Amino acid sequence: MHPARSRIRLRAAAVAAALAALLLAPLPAAQHAEAAATLTNAGFESDATGTATPTGWSSYSAAGQNAASFTEAGGHGGSHRLSHWSAAAYKVETYQYLSGLTDGTYTLSAWVRSGGGQNAAYLALRNCGSAEQRTDLPVTSTWIRIVTPITVTGGACTISVNSDANAGNWLNVDDLTFTSGTTGLAVRGVDLSALKKSEDLGGTYKSSTGATGDAVALLKNAGANYGRLKVWVNPADGYNNKARVLATAQKIKAQGMKLLVDFHYSDIWADPGAQTKPTAWSGHSYSQLTTDVYNHTYDVLNALKAQGTTADMVQIGNEINTGMLWPEGSTSNWSQLGGLLKSGISAAKAVSSSTQIALHLANGGDNALYRTWFDNATAQGVSYDVIAFSFYGYWHGALSSLQANLDDISARYGKKVMVAETAYPFRLDSEDGHENIIDLSSELVSGYPASSAGQSAWLRDIMNVVEAVPNGRGLGVFYWEPAWTAVTGNGWDPADSSSGNGWENQALFDYDSKLLPAASRLAHR
């Protein structure tokens, strides 16, 4: 990055007077004689490198730091982009005022990059006749598209790019659009699979101020509207089975939240590296396994329905990159895998035809994996509603890879997409002495420290990426195991009560059991 070549003056003394009292405040409509109903120079191609006030745009800095906003070469879709940068700490806004708009909903879309480190770096829609809306820029060296929705009343709106930055901090913005329509996330979920065992072993949960409370209620009040529960068939510790799932489902539904049931079709963890058949099914033929899947799926879901907690969504398998119920259901035999999937789906729909069916893979940034897998599922006639991704940035690549995959897969198969699992550490050390899965600074995602702020920014940016999926196909995000705190006996291995928890540093409750700031991101619009 490099600084602008010149500093511009404010367009009128009245503008300076109106804005001097409040940094980044929008200009009143009367000050914008050149306002139009469509964005001007949205790709910053009308000006040469170093232009501090691009054609159609204005800049403002209470400290006279307008030069920190400038155009330069290296655009997303064209030759130029807008940048904010200065060798000294700076605060600057680049904005454009629109008038003559038809009242209704609109969405601002923009391609952005940022090196991070700012006190604030965001896009804003203000002076639109409704509450100001903001979207923070993610920390990324590759372009990412973010969106910001607004309801316009009064026919006007200000589009704004804002930086409150330290010396050397930078951001890039390019190719903005402002079009009719709105965005948001229907699913803002939490996986609470470990909660029942934690509570039974004495685990407690507190609000951010230290008041003891119910974990489900605390997360719901923070903004969660969906709970996710895994189901094992006959686990060694008796948790995550039908009876325990029924109990936690009641708590989730009692809070007015929806329910996702995640079938592992195993007695223990099922993921891309292990899809072990339940012991009770170990000697069964493929034909019998299809019956097992149907009966087990129907049994659990029908019991949930009978107690008034019908599942709103069901995962048929967990992270089934390589199939399920190995070896019969491996992806090396798609005919049989397709049959097992269809058997589980049929059972779920038999219980409740309105229950949504999700198919879930890990490695959310791997487009080739998803295309191959869902092409095969399509060829086998597998019917489903939602494609679910696991995406952990320390394992699965850049946010831009997740975005590219979400965009492509949702369009290719015409399905809603969601991130069914993500999480991030708020610290690296362990509370229970068991080595944490992520415990080294070298394992972290660049720009996201292992701190409460880093954890909060990660969840915020994952949600913003999902919200930006075109055509409203970005369904939402689940945070994985936010209540899995360090409680003696509630470790990784259901067969070993002395096993520790390697996840407590990625929970949404800190080592004093207090709700962390990241939980507030669950209230995403």
Side-chain angles (χ1 to χ4, degrees):
M1 310 300 294
H2 59 77
R5 279 63 172 174
S6 63
R7 178 175 295 169
I8 67 166
R9 296 176 300 160
L10 293 176
R11 289 185 302 167
V15 173
L19 293 173
L22 182 62
L23 175 66
L24 303 184
L27 294 175
Q31 305 287 341
H32 297 266
E34 299 176 3
T38 57
L39 275 171
T40 300
N41 194 21
F44 305 99
E45 299 300 315
S46 299
D47 307 282
T49 292
T51 303
T53 306
T55 299
W57 295 85
S58 301
S59 61
Y60 171 71
S61 172
Q65 297 168 307
N66 292 351
S69 169
F70 55 93
T71 57
E72 65 178 341
H76 166 260
S79 299
H80 291 83
R81 67 196 182 203
L82 174 72
S83 294
H84 286 180
W85 180 89
S86 177
Y90 64 95
K91 296 180 181 180
V92 70
E93 174 188 17
T94 309
Y95 63 91
Q96 187 169 152
Y97 177 79
L98 301 181
S99 64
L101 298 170
T102 301
D103 286 354
T105 58
Y106 290 83
T107 295
L108 174 69
S109 175
W111 289 90
V112 302
R113 302 191 302 187
S114 173
Q118 299 96 332
N119 300 313
Y122 60 91
L123 304 184
L125 296 173
R126 49 170 63 115
N127 277 358
C128 307
S130 60
E132 177 180 320
Q133 294 294 312
R134 296 183 178 184
T135 303
D136 294 283
L137 270 64
V139 181
T140 173
S141 60
T142 50
W143 291 100
I144 284 179
R145 186 185 62 258
I146 59 176
V147 296
T148 310
I150 195 76
T151 299
V152 172
T153 60
C157 194
T158 299
I159 285 81
S160 176
V161 181
N162 301 266
S163 290
D164 176 356
N166 301 300
N169 293 160
W170 62 270
L171 64 75
N172 303 147
V173 177
D174 203 3
D175 295 337
L176 297 95
T177 64
F178 189 67
T179 57
S180 61
T182 192
T183 63
L185 294 180
V187 172
R188 305 181 306 279
V190 285
D191 188 308
L192 296 172
S193 299
L195 178 61
K196 176 61 175 168
K197 188 173 182 180
S198 174
E199 291 177 330
D200 288 352
L201 293 174
T204 59
Y205 300 89
K206 302 174 183 177
S207 71
S208 59
T209 59
T212 300
D214 175 75
V216 183
L218 289 168
L219 291 165
K220 191 265 185 181
N221 291 338
N225 66 356
Y226 233 109
R228 179 179 187 250
L229 297 175
K230 72 170 175 276
V231 185
W232 288 337
V233 177
N234 188 25
D237 62 356
Y239 284 87
N240 301 116
N241 62 3
K242 181 176 77 170
R244 263 46 186 265
V245 166
L246 288 169
T248 307
Q250 287 182 316
K251 296 187 68 173
I252 289 169
K253 289 282 190 170
Q255 290 296 328
M257 299 165 65
K258 292 186 176 182
L259 174 66
L260 166 59
V261 178
D262 172 17
F263 285 94
H264 281 227
Y265 299 112
S266 181
D267 293 333
I268 198 167
W269 304 98
D271 56 45
Q275 294 283 337
T276 307
K277 287 197 291 277
T279 299
W281 306 357
S282 61
H284 291 183
S285 66
Y286 165 70
S287 177
Q288 182 60 47
L289 287 172
T290 62
T291 301
D292 293 333
V293 167
Y294 186 97
N295 290 343
H296 172 63
T297 306
Y298 187 94
D299 180 47
V300 173
L301 296 179
N302 196 49
L304 285 164
K305 180 180 179 180
Q307 73 169 12
T309 59
T310 300
D312 300 281
M313 190 184 303
V314 170
Q315 277 181 224
I316 304 300
N318 184 76
E319 294 189 334
I320 50 177
N321 305 27
T322 50
M324 64 189 205
L325 294 166
W326 290 348
E328 287 81 2
S330 165
T331 49
S332 62
N333 189 334
W334 256 101
S335 175
Q336 291 191 171
L337 174 56
L340 292 169
L341 292 170
K342 286 186 281 189
S343 184
I345 292 166
S346 178
K349 290 294 189 180
V351 173
S352 170
S353 60
S354 63
T355 295
Q356 297 286 287
I357 303 299
L359 299 179
H360 173 214
L361 307 186
N363 304 85
D366 188 344
N367 183 245
L369 164 68
Y370 279 71
R371 279 186 166 222
T372 298
W373 202 97
F374 283 96
D375 281 355
N376 276 298
T378 299
Q380 293 299 320
V382 178
S383 177
Y384 58 94
D385 304 295
V386 177
I387 297 175
F389 299 58
S390 286
F391 189 80
Y392 299 96
Y394 39 73
W395 292 328
H396 296 154
L399 281 170
S400 56
S401 297
L402 172 65
Q403 180 165 82
N405 200 23
L406 289 168
D407 290 359
D408 177 68
I409 294 301
S410 63
R412 183 178 179 87
Y413 304 103
K415 301 294 184 182
K416 298 273 191 177
V417 291
M418 70 179 186
V419 172
E421 294 186 21
T422 195
Y424 203 77
F426 62 91
R427 58 194 294 172
L428 292 174
D429 61 313
S430 176
E431 184 180 7
D432 65 0
H434 182 82
E435 182 180 7
N436 290 331
I437 289 177
I438 301 299
D439 63 352
L440 301 174
S441 58
S442 59
E443 295 173 311
L444 299 174
V445 180
S446 178
Y448 297 87
S451 65
S452 61
Q455 182 188 57
S456 182
W458 178 259
L459 181 55
R460 174 199 74 197
D461 293 343
I462 286 283
M463 298 181 95
N464 286 342
V465 165
V466 176
E467 183 186 14
V469 175
N471 300 311
R473 290 189 176 129
L475 189 60
V477 175
F478 282 86
Y479 194 93
W480 196 69
E481 291 287 14
W484 197 3
T485 54
V487 175
T488 301
N490 194 16
W492 277 94
D493 187 352
D496 181 3
S497 61
S498 67
S499 63
N501 176 5
W503 200 258
E504 74 270 18
N505 68 325
Q506 300 195 62
L508 291 182
F509 293 88
D510 67 16
Y511 288 5
D512 293 320
S513 301
K514 293 181 181 179
L515 194 68
L516 283 157
S520 66
R521 297 296 178 181
L522 296 167
H524 188 101
R525 56 180 175 255

